[in-house]
Amino acid sequence: MQDVGMQTAQTAVVADELALVRAGITAVLQDHGVEVVAQTRSGRELLRLAASLGPDVVVVGAPADLAIEEVVRRVVRLRPPPSTVALVPVDHGHVLRYLLALGASAVVPRTSDVDELGTAVDAACKGVQYVAASLHGALVGRLRLPPLDERSVELLSAREREVLILLAEGGSNREIANDLSVTLATVKSHLVRIYAKLGAKNRNEALGRAVALGVLR
């Protein structure tokens, strides 16, 4: 019988195109009590490994074959979804907002030092969302949208909120229509209203505005 006081170590899968970066990430994870069960340079392989191994944490840097946002979009659809730590270039503010909207657990620069990455890993393991302080400026400063009173968010209907959540999960208009059992035209109408209420011109700006206002976490 397993000792009640013993805790099973959390597991992780790591993806980055550079072996040296993967080795560094692996060392940090191990120092924080997380066992790396697999690592790969491929985003597609990461998705296969995550689906088959069921890790607690996935760390995504710069996969050789897929954009980081596409990898995260697919990872969060796994059931149950692992916590996701994303390592991004510091000048990719639009990607940062999208990753948070998708549900990334932690986002830090790919150039993070050992301590910062360790903090992000600890937060992800505890289920706490974390954004490195050095990225806060990108999260807010890159939002070039008209001023919006937070009370305006209350104007979103329940259905519009459902559409926004599915949008954040990366669903296409047709996928959203299928999930909600409505027509494609109805989804487009909802999106037009959402964009207008959030002061956005497209889905990326809508997601960025929703994250900035705390509508999506």
Side-chain angles (χ1 to χ4, degrees), residues 49-184:
L49 291 168
S52 62
L53 298 176
D56 300 295
V57 182
V58 166
V59 182
V60 189
D65 54 349
L66 291 175
I68 185 172
E69 57 267 35
E70 178 62 18
V71 176
V72 173
R73 185 181 74 84
R74 298 188 193 184
V75 166
V76 299
R77 289 186 169 186
L78 297 175
R79 292 294 179 266
S83 297
T84 305
V85 179
L87 281 63
V88 300
V90 293
D91 59 345
H92 280 40
H94 63 291
V95 173
L96 168 61
R97 296 192 300 273
Y98 188 41
L99 292 173
L100 292 174
L102 287 173
S105 306
V107 185
V108 296
R110 192 161 176 258
T111 55
S112 293
D113 60 25
V114 170
D115 290 339
E116 186 168 54
L117 180 56
T119 299
V121 169
D122 288 342
C125 289
K126 295 175 183 176
V128 177
Q129 192 173 62
Y130 175 84
V131 179
S134 59
L135 295 176
H136 290 176
L139 181 60
V140 178
R142 295 284 295 268
L143 286 174
R144 309 250 184 234
L145 300 175
L148 178 65
D149 189 324
E150 290 190 13
R151 290 174 298 178
S152 299
V153 177
E154 297 175 1
L155 295 176
L156 290 178
S157 68
R159 178 61 86 183
E160 287 166 355
R161 289 176 182 271
E162 289 179 319
V163 171
L164 187 64
I165 290 172
L166 292 172
L167 192 71
E169 292 175 347
S172 66
N173 289 1
R174 189 169 298 281
E175 288 172 335
I176 294 173
N178 290 337
D179 286 345
L180 297 180
S181 299
V182 299
T183 66
L184 190 59

